[in-house]
Amino acid sequence: MTHDAAEGPTRSPASPLVRVAWGVLAALLLIWLVFETAKYGGWVIVAAVAGVVVPDLSFLAALSGPHEHGRMPRRAVPFYNLLHRPLVALVVMAGCLIPESSAVAVPLFNFGLAWLVHIAADRALGFGLRGADGRQR
């Protein structure tokens, strides 16, 4: 009996060891994020929650128009892939070096840190970037 990939969504073919490494990274980053949000409170908590949610806003671009189950519309793939790249989250985190006010820098850093937690958790669960056809790579 064969399995046809067109039947439903597939997860990343990353090796179990790679997925465990992403999981360990996600756990460590989450501990750091919880520590930072508890330390600063206020807007940092809001920024952290937003950072966890923002990468999946790319699914909003995928809602309109017909598409197969497990396949994202082609027009949404570049946006999804951009928001699920660790380098983008790291650039956001580095953006905290620009403002001179810690009232801006700290929430910005935690926003990027939460974004990185989201990406690492996705990779640990087997959800990677999308191919040009809209399926998981």
Side-chain angles (χ1 to χ4, degrees), residues 22-132:
W22 276 110
V24 169
L25 178 63
L28 293 173
L29 291 172
L30 181 61
I31 290 167
W32 187 11
L33 179 64
V34 168
F35 173 78
E36 289 293 314
T37 55
K39 179 178 171 183
Y40 292 104
W43 285 107
V44 174
I45 296 170
V46 175
V49 170
V52 170
V53 174
V54 161
D56 282 341
L57 291 179
S58 58
F59 284 117
L60 293 176
L63 289 178
S64 64
H67 60 278
E68 289 180 42
H69 179 71
R71 179 182 277 183
M72 181 176 278
R74 291 179 190 260
R75 70 182 178 289
V77 170
F79 187 56
Y80 174 88
N81 285 345
L82 177 68
L83 293 181
H84 284 82
R85 299 240 181 228
L87 183 60
V88 176
L90 291 170
V91 167
V92 170
M93 288 173 71
C96 76
L97 301 172
I98 296 169
E100 294 195 20
S101 168
S102 64
V104 175
V106 173
L108 184 61
F109 177 82
N110 282 281
F111 176 80
L113 182 59
W115 191 342
L116 203 53
V117 168
H118 176 105
I119 292 169
D122 271 2
R123 301 282 168 83
L125 294 171
F127 301 109
L129 299 176
R130 300 282 179 145

